[in-house]
């Protein structure tokens, strides 16, 4: 794994090395990461979780995701926008999530901002920053950027609209996770379509 190239998984198929670095990552890599995510609430969840991940490892968030969903009403924008000070104190006392005051406050504030948007507006805004044409397929993990011009622009656009706690790095992680970019390595089975979920091929983009 040291060179950052694709590595054979337990079924012999090559995968991005990070997808094999912990048992929890395997299903996430194979079934979620890089697959297109649409819908305001679904994207709000990913935006919130990426913000909570800032400064931490993603596996810390992944292992707590169901607890996050319970604590934040499944990340329904309308529901979270109605959270009260009592809810805020509940969240800050919940050991099952990340009890970071700034991140909790940003999540609640962002829900209130987004609740005033039209249906589909968050989805449309985020997906308008998907690169066209798609980015070249990375050969190794060293080829994958932390930020791009598109992620910088997306972060600026969200901030301009009042969304907090989203910078270019968080925006790019969101783009990767939600399929705006396909950063599975060129030889990864998820990119080539050798992995499937419920009969559907994995994400594929021109290489």
């Amino acid at each position: 794994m040291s060179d950052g190239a694709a590595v054979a998984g337990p079924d012999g198929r090559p995968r991005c090395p990070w997808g094999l670095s912990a048992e929890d990552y395997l299903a996430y890599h194979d079934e979620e990461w890089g697959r297109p995510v649409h819908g305001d609430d679904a994207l709000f969840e990913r935006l919130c979780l990426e913000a909570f991940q800032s400064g931490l490892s993603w596996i810390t968030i992944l292992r707590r995701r169901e607890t996050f969903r319970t604590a934040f009403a499944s990340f329904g924008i309308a529901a979270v926008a109605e959270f009260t000070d009592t809810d805020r104190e509940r969240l800050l006392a919940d050991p099952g999530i990340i009890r970071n005051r700034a991140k909790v406050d940003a999540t609640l504030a962002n829900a209130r901002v987004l609740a005033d948007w039209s249906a589909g507006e968050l989805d449309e805004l985020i997906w308008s920053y998907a690169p066209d044409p798609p980015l070249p397929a990375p050969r190794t993990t060293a080829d994958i950027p932390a930020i791009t011009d598109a992620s910088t622009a997306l972060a600026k656009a969200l901030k301009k609209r009042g969304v907090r706690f989203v910078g270019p790095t968080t925006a790019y992680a969101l783009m990767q996770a939600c399929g705006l970019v396909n950063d599975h390595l060129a030889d990864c089975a998820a990119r080539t379509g050798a992995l499937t979920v419920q009969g559907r091929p994995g994400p594929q983009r021109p290489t």
Side-chain angles (χ1 to χ4, degrees):
M1 294 188 186
S2 60
D3 62 357
V7 178
D11 57 3
R13 293 170 177 165
R15 288 172 171 82
C16 304
W18 66 265
L20 300 169
S21 63
E23 184 177 352
D24 304 76
Y25 274 149
L26 185 59
Y28 178 69
H29 168 276
D30 289 0
E31 300 174 11
E32 294 189 61
W33 194 76
R35 296 178 184 274
V37 174
H38 285 283
D40 293 342
D41 288 348
L43 288 167
F44 174 61
E45 175 183 352
R46 299 301 185 95
L47 183 64
C48 293
L49 292 180
E50 293 295 348
F52 272 103
Q53 185 270 335
S54 180
L56 303 170
S57 64
W58 175 245
I59 200 166
T60 300
I61 305 301
L62 189 61
R63 288 172 173 168
R64 300 180 183 213
R65 182 164 58 171
E66 291 307 317
T67 308
F68 268 105
R69 285 172 171 168
T70 299
F72 285 97
S74 298
F75 290 98
I77 293 172
V80 178
E82 296 296 325
F83 277 18
T84 64
D85 288 342
T86 300
D87 290 305
R88 177 177 179 273
E89 293 308 311
R90 168 181 59 81
L91 293 167
L92 292 173
D94 189 342
I97 65 170
I98 305 302
R99 293 178 288 180
N100 180 292
R101 190 174 302 274
K103 294 176 181 180
V104 168
D105 286 347
T107 300
L108 303 187
N110 288 344
R112 293 173 189 131
V113 167
L114 296 173
D116 289 334
W117 291 22
S118 301
E121 193 170 352
L122 178 62
D123 187 305
E124 182 178 359
L125 174 64
I126 289 176
W127 274 91
S128 71
Y129 288 90
D132 185 18
L135 302 177
R139 302 300 306 183
T140 71
T141 54
D143 297 328
I144 300 175
I147 63 173
T148 63
D149 289 345
S151 76
T152 299
L154 173 57
K156 288 181 178 178
L158 288 168
K159 287 181 179 178
K160 186 176 181 180
R161 298 288 301 275
V163 178
R164 294 163 46 182
F165 224 101
V166 55
T169 302
T170 296
Y172 193 66
L174 176 75
M175 294 171 73
Q176 291 174 304
C178 295
L180 280 76
V181 296
N182 184 356
D183 272 345
H184 284 286
L185 300 184
D187 294 329
C188 176
R191 176 180 280 275
T192 62
L195 300 177
T196 61
V197 179
Q198 298 178 346
R200 293 183 291 105
Q204 299 182 63
R205 299 237 181 135
T207 59

